[in-house]
Amino acid sequence: MANVVVVGAQWGDEGKGKIVDWLSERADVIARFQGGHNAGHTLVIDGKVFKLNALPSGVVRGGKLSVIGNGVVLDPWHLVKEIDSIRVQGVEITPETLMIAENTPLILPIHGELDRAREEAASKGAKIGTTGRGIGPAYEDKVGRRSVRVADLADDATLVARVDRALLHHDALRRGLGLEPVDRDGLLASLREIAPEILKYAGPVWKVLNEKRRSGKRILFEGAQGALLDIDFGTYPYVTSSNVIAGQAATGTGMGPGAIDFVLGIVKAYTTRVGEGPFPTELHDEDGQRLGERGREFGTVTGRKRRCGWFDAVLVRQTCVTSGVNGISLTKLDVLDGFETIRICTGYELDGAVLDHLPIAAEQQARCTPIYEEMEGWTESTEGARSWNDLPGAAVKYVRRIEELIGCPVALLSTSPEREDTILVTDPFVD
Ligand code: GDP
Ligand code: IMO
Ligand code: MG
């Protein structure tokens, strides 16, 4: 049976949540494998809006197993709040429907404080524009071997030792930033209080997922962020602190690399970015404003206005390679309705040379000038289209040109925020 990985192929907010929710009808298990509650995924089902950060977007379907893998960093207090808030919307989460990997590192309040204090202290060019949710510091502690992990919540002596180990490092850091030392007893008390709320979902995710796979169940791996925010292949240092590309689905859950049968890259029909960093096709004119307004481009997590620009085929061609994308889901095509002409970036000019990829040095990335080709727009509406035949000729041409330039076929097409406004071209689950 096919297992599918969904990854963002730009700078995040491509519409992964909607597509994961739509595809989860065909899946048995939906697993997050990286990132944390820096993700903001919006689903719209019959007009009802669901906003998810840490929970996999499959939870809304009911009757599926949702999984938080070890590659995630988890804020336990946020998770409990998120579970409560979607319960109010009629979605019940139980230990039968949610499993959290025991080896998942926790995000503690000190991580968020450190994240925000660093951003405040940074000079303009040094700011990353993080979500302020402690993602970077939590991953630093994981690699530094001083995380408190889910399993540590089960034994008080271990918990105390893990917290003391972490504080040795953090108190020194905090002194340098002019922050008060950590309230150790307060932190321990809140961890002890939240522990049972998290432990009831804890389990050996690697084992359960491999058993599910062997028994023919279909697993849908849900990526957060986007490949250009990947810690290795993104626009470093303006990136998030995890591997975002598809290979992470295996390490972030404990599956072998052979478990991945199809990689679906989610691609917006134009480009957006939240936070700092290079963005070659960014628009500062009326077209950019129009994309932002029509696409309602405001961050789900921080409410920040997203930067908008034309479709960049160079970047997507590159991320399709680093993630091994088999097919893309093109989203928000409807936002381009009514543009007289549409531009696509096909290469960059840098110091008199033409480049077919984004150079790795941040300084060079910032100086790349896009080379555009222009296409005719369409006046008809594509909003809500549910079949290929409903699309105007010029929109079909635009989609075909994107496929050609990025070297990857369209498997799905999304034409509105609503779950059912989706056109299936190739089913990623059919092997
Ligand atoms: P994610 O982080 O990749 O899950 O994406 P977000 O949820 O942050 O942002 C995507 C936004 O676009 C959400 O508000 C979705 O409801 C919306 N959306 C998704 N697909 C489409 C589409 O095809 N057309 C339009 N107009 N909106 C869409
Ligand atoms: P979803 O899953 C868009 C960006 C932040 C910042 C950088 C680092 O909704 O697509 P972090 O808090 O991760 O240390 O911030 O990464 N960022 C996102 N941008 N969508 C996201 O997630 C993002 N998650 C992080 O804006 O530039
Ligand atoms: Mg988002």
Side-chain angles (χ1 to χ4, degrees), residues 12-18 40-42 44 294-295 300 306 331-335 414-417:
D13 304 323
E14 298 91 347
K16 298 176 292 292
K18 166 181 165 164
H41 301 164
T42 303
V44 185
R294 285 190 55 86
T300 318
R306 295 174 183 153
T331 62
K332 302 191 100 163
L333 185 67
D334 54 293
V335 173
S414 167
T415 56
S416 101

Side-chain angles (χ1 to χ4, degrees), residues 161-424:
R162 298 307 305 161
V163 165
D164 283 341
R165 173 79 188 82
L167 295 198
L168 201 63
H169 178 78
H170 277 270
D171 278 337
L173 270 182
R174 292 166 71 94
R175 262 197 305 281
L177 283 160
L179 296 174
E180 293 287 307
V182 180
D183 168 12
R184 171 184 181 269
D185 294 342
L187 174 59
L188 275 169
S190 26
L191 280 166
R192 287 178 185 126
E193 192 188 343
I194 203 80
E197 296 299 317
I198 298 298
L199 286 169
K200 66 183 178 198
Y201 303 110
V205 157
W206 64 273
K207 187 167 182 289
V208 170
L209 283 190
N210 280 284
E211 283 162 7
K212 295 269 184 203
R213 183 182 174 216
R214 269 200 303 280
S215 65
K217 301 287 189 211
R218 289 166 156 187
I219 305 168
L220 177 59
F221 297 92
E222 176 181 9
Q225 288 83 52
L228 297 166
L229 290 170
D230 182 272
I231 186 75
D232 288 302
F233 293 101
T235 46
Y236 192 90
Y238 304 98
V239 292
T240 191
S241 296
S242 64
N243 278 116
V244 170
I245 57 174
Q248 174 64 17
T251 35
T253 54
M255 309 286 291
I260 301 168
D261 301 291
F262 192 99
V263 179
L264 183 70
I266 314 299
V267 177
K268 205 181 276 195
Y270 49 99
T271 315
T272 62
R273 168 161 211 174
V274 213
E276 304 301 319
F279 180 173
T281 63
E282 182 171 14
L283 292 168
H284 298 283
D285 59 6
E286 263 173 39
D287 284 337
Q289 194 149 349
R290 182 151 162 208
L291 286 171
E293 278 163 17
R294 285 190 55 86
R296 299 202 191 119
E297 298 295 354
F298 291 91
T300 318
V301 175
T302 57
R304 287 177 292 177
K305 209 169 165 181
R306 295 174 183 153
R307 301 155 64 192
C308 297
W310 296 119
F311 185 78
D312 190 332
V314 180
L315 293 180
V316 177
R317 184 162 64 226
Q318 192 163 324
T319 58
C320 281
V321 172
T322 51
S323 268
V325 170
N326 301 103
I328 66 160
S329 172
L330 193 68
T331 62
K332 302 191 100 163
L333 185 67
D334 54 293
V335 173
L336 296 176
D337 291 355
F339 274 91
E340 210 168 299
T341 50
I342 299 171
R343 298 177 113 191
I344 305 181
C345 170
T346 58
Y348 302 128
E349 215 176 283
L350 180 71
D351 299 329
V354 174
L355 303 184
D356 65 355
H357 66 282
L358 189 70
I360 211 74
E363 174 275 325
Q364 293 189 345
Q365 290 177 351
R367 287 192 299 112
C368 280
T369 333
I371 300 167
Y372 285 117
E373 70 176 39
E374 213 160 77
M375 294 196 71
E376 214 178 293
W378 53 91
T379 48
E380 303 91 327
S381 167
T382 63
E383 194 186 339
R386 294 191 183 182
S387 101
W388 195 255
N389 295 332
D390 294 340
L391 300 177
V396 171
K397 256 198 197 157
Y398 181 68
V399 176
R400 292 299 183 213
R401 185 65 184 136
I402 285 179
E403 287 180 313
E404 224 168 65
L405 287 168
I406 66 171
C408 197
V410 166
L412 287 163
L413 207 70
S414 167
T415 56
S416 101
E418 268 289 344
R419 178 191 268 174
E420 297 306 332
D421 292 338
T422 306
I423 302 172
L424 178 67

